[in-house]
Amino acid sequence: MSSWPDPFETREGADPGLAADLPWDGPGGGYQKQPEIRDHMMMPEKDPISGIPNRNDSTVTVTSLGDLNPKTPGEGVTLMFYFVTSWVLFLQGISSMSSLAVSYFYKNTLQVEPALLSTITSLTALPWTIKPLYGFLSDGWPILGYRRKPYLIISGILGSVSWFCMAVLVNDVWFGFVCMFIASMGMAVSNVIAEGMVVEKSRGQTQEFASHLQAFVHGAQAIGGIIAAYFGGFLLQYLADRHMFMLCAVFPLTIIVVALISPEVRFDGDLTAIRSDMAGKLKELWEAFQHPQIYKPVAFVFMLNATPATGATWFYFYTNVLHFSSTFLGTINVVGAICSLGGVLIFGNFLANTPFRPILIWSTIISTVFGLSQLALVFGWNREWGIPDAAFCIGESAILSILGWINTMPILVLAARLCPVGMEATMYALIMSVNNLGGVIGTQFGALITWGLGVTDSNLDNFWILVLICNLSTVLPLVFIGWIPPDGEDYGAEITAESERSQQKQKA
């Protein structure tokens, strides 16, 4: 991971609530329907939000000739579905309002050095690396008969209480880490439910519709990010960092409201059977993950995220060397957030049918080239060229934010299309967990390099070396670009078809 802005990471430090996360193709008629493999843990008898029964034709049907017949684009996607999933993603975006306040709090109040701040902020993303666990818990252990609402309510409570503690009680580095860790976990739980819904609705759809659906829900996240970016810097002129934490404690409470108004049919199935079947489901998940069509693309995405990242060090450079105010840092974030939305729209409208490989190759290479331009800012060359630091940073943020999301969207679409039928949400959560783990490791590598170079709050002499290493390392994973499918085929459906044919042979 290079020093250019990750779409889920601000220059002031990674936002644990937005760790690289966030979702295709299936069903129809056919000559003779084969036995289904359904994910009982992540796919209840009825849609967890709308309450609409999951229809048999919402799974991939494999004909005797191996044909896969897609359903009508948009079939079964309700307004309630759009509202709930978009609102959860919107909250992920707006939760980044705390990023600047967290950075100032750790730097000025707790006197934390860049390497440690990078370490702390990246470790708070660890809850996003165990996302399948939340799915298992919510499906296997309903609360009062419900498998979605109570967990959404719990996630809202965790987030609100954690930020309240940050505002009132925290005076220690690691106590603050625990609070942000729990808040991140709360957001991850709600994210799993929302993403599971997106994956289920994407099943059986064309790549184009799946891409548009991704663009819609992540567009909501980008809008939340725009609002957070502006007010995150603007309000710091008038509010102390602890007051910002108190404000951020209000946002998770809206998840509770969404949970209460969302229709969900009370679960009346056999929980004992579901729980006893979990070991078998884990085995199925592992066997599916071992297919080269799945583990190779996932390994590539992991490597793309696991390259070193500069993390929070840019915040120290902006404030100590360039002396940017919180208001201007917020302005940079606003430009980045708006351009992130632009990147989502560009992908959805112009690149939805483009093969994954060229998008990933060119967006990575171009981003690396522009990322290296940051050296001009570090050495002050931009001022010799007549470009003020402020203008240079805003332009750089705009370009890299667009490229960052263009690079991210194919990964989200690919992840959903790798999911075998019957375990879509579980597999997608696993894939995105691996993706998030790569981001954590990349930031930890960057923190280790920062420490090794002796970069501190008062000594940024070797910062340019960190920027150079992080940018050049970004292109290294492209050596394995062949592991990415060359087209938009639904490999998850193909694996399902292969598995069903194998089962039939064994029965015969």
Side-chain angles (χ1 to χ4, degrees):
M1 185 182 295
S2 75
S3 59
W4 51 278
D6 186 285
F8 304 113
E9 177 181 73
T10 66
R11 280 288 177 74
E12 294 70 43
D15 184 318
L18 299 178
D21 258 9
L22 266 162
W24 326 112
D25 231 331
Y31 298 101
Q32 181 178 357
K33 191 171 183 179
Q34 304 297 326
E36 299 175 355
I37 302 177
R38 298 179 73 90
D39 185 347
H40 298 287
M41 292 180 295
M42 298 299 291
M43 189 173 183
E45 290 82 358
K46 297 185 178 182
D47 188 288
I49 298 297
S50 67
I52 298 174
N54 281 311
R55 298 163 40 187
N56 287 336
D57 67 355
S58 66
T59 55
V60 169
T61 301
V62 185
T63 69
S64 57
L65 298 179
D67 296 322
L68 299 174
N69 302 316
K71 61 186 176 186
T72 304
E75 181 181 345
V77 182
T78 65
L79 289 177
M80 180 61 74
F81 165 83
Y82 278 114
F83 172 73
V84 173
T85 54
S86 298
W87 186 256
V88 172
L89 271 293
F90 172 80
L91 288 180
Q92 284 186 233
I94 205 168
S95 67
S96 62
M97 187 180 294
S98 63
S99 295
L100 268 177
V102 167
S103 297
Y104 276 110
F105 179 72
Y106 272 92
K107 176 179 179 287
N108 297 333
T109 304
L110 301 183
Q111 302 293 308
V112 170
E113 296 292 345
L116 180 57
L117 180 55
S118 294
T119 298
I120 291 173
T121 52
S122 66
L123 288 178
T124 56
L126 283 176
W128 294 79
T129 67
I130 54 172
K131 292 171 66 176
L133 175 62
Y134 312 137
F136 291 140
L137 289 176
S138 66
D139 285 312
W141 280 267
I143 299 175
L144 301 178
Y146 293 96
R147 306 198 294 180
R148 295 296 182 261
K149 283 188 176 185
Y151 285 93
L152 282 174
I153 293 172
I154 290 172
S155 71
I157 293 174
L158 287 176
S160 185
V161 171
S162 298
W163 284 114
F164 178 81
C165 290
M166 283 288 290
V168 177
L169 302 176
V170 171
N171 286 299
D172 174 77
V173 172
W174 295 107
F175 184 24
F177 162 73
V178 171
C179 289
M180 292 198 300
F181 185 92
I182 295 174
S184 176
M185 180 178 293
M187 184 59 72
V189 170
S190 61
N191 173 270
V192 165
I193 294 176
E195 285 188 344
M197 293 170 59
V198 171
V199 172
E200 288 174 6
K201 294 301 183 183
S202 299
R203 183 183 59 247
Q205 302 289 354
T206 63
Q207 177 181 334
E208 182 177 9
F209 178 81
S211 297
H212 287 313
L213 184 57
Q214 286 283 355
F216 184 89
V217 296
H218 286 281
Q221 177 181 337
I223 292 173
I226 293 171
I227 297 173
Y230 175 76
F231 286 102
F234 175 77
L235 291 178
L236 278 176
Q237 297 179 89
Y238 309 100
L239 301 177
D241 42 26
R242 290 185 185 273
H243 295 158
M244 289 291 292
F245 299 154
M246 186 66 74
L247 177 61
C248 290
V250 176
F251 299 137
L253 296 178
T254 63
I255 297 180
I256 300 176
V257 177
V258 168
L260 293 175
I261 67 174
S262 300
E264 179 184 2
V265 177
R266 187 183 180 91
F267 179 74
D268 57 1
D270 186 354
L271 286 175
T272 302
I274 291 177
R275 291 170 183 172
S276 63
D277 195 39
M278 282 190 174
K281 290 296 178 182
L282 288 172
K283 182 180 179 181
E284 287 181 15
L285 185 66
W286 174 244
E287 289 177 350
F289 191 80
Q290 288 180 301
H291 282 267
Q293 297 99 319
I294 293 181
Y295 78 74
K296 284 187 175 181
V298 174
F300 175 83
V301 171
F302 173 82
M303 289 186 290
L304 197 63
N305 282 277
T307 54
T310 51
T313 313
W314 274 109
F315 173 73
Y316 289 79
F317 181 80
Y318 283 161
T319 54
N320 292 359
V321 178
L322 301 185
H323 304 293
F324 286 162
S325 66
S326 62
T327 304
F328 184 72
L329 290 177
T331 301
I332 294 177
N333 287 342
V334 169
V335 172
I338 293 174
C339 291
S340 294
L341 178 59
V344 173
L345 295 175
I346 289 173
F347 177 84
N349 288 292
F350 302 106
L351 301 174
N353 289 317
T354 304
F356 300 127
R357 286 183 184 177
I359 297 178
L360 291 171
I361 290 173
W362 287 110
S363 62
T364 300
I365 292 175
I366 296 173
S367 296
T368 300
V369 172
F370 277 98
L372 288 172
S373 70
Q374 294 170 339
L375 292 173
L377 186 66
V378 174
F379 289 114
W381 297 337
N382 58 289
R383 291 189 293 275
E384 297 178 7
W385 303 335
I387 305 175
D389 293 335
F392 188 93
C393 289
I394 289 177
E396 175 198 52
S397 175
I399 295 171
L400 294 181
S401 294
I402 292 174
L403 292 171
W405 266 103
I406 291 176
N407 184 270
T408 298
M409 289 303 297
I411 293 174
L412 298 176
V413 177
L414 173 63
R417 295 182 70 81
L418 291 175
C419 300
V421 176
M423 57 179 68
E424 295 92 347
T426 309
M427 178 62 79
Y428 181 80
L430 176 61
I431 293 173
M432 297 313 296
S433 293
V434 173
N435 175 61
N436 296 335
L437 179 61
V440 173
I441 291 176
T443 306
Q444 293 300 313
F445 279 155
L448 183 61
I449 296 172
T450 301
W451 175 80
L453 292 173
V455 175
T456 65
D457 185 9
S458 58
N459 181 13
L460 293 167
D461 293 343
N462 291 330
F463 180 49
W464 70 273
I465 301 177
L466 176 66
V467 174
L468 182 65
I469 293 173
C470 291
N471 275 286
L472 292 179
S473 63
T474 303
V475 298
L476 296 179
L478 293 182
V479 174
F480 301 97
I481 191 64
W483 289 0
I484 295 294
D487 48 41
E489 290 186 24
D490 191 342
Y491 285 95
E494 291 182 6
I495 292 172
T496 300
E498 178 184 334
S499 175
E500 291 180 345
R501 287 193 292 268
S502 176
Q503 287 183 1
Q504 281 198 330
K505 289 181 180 179
Q506 290 178 0
K507 290 180 180 180

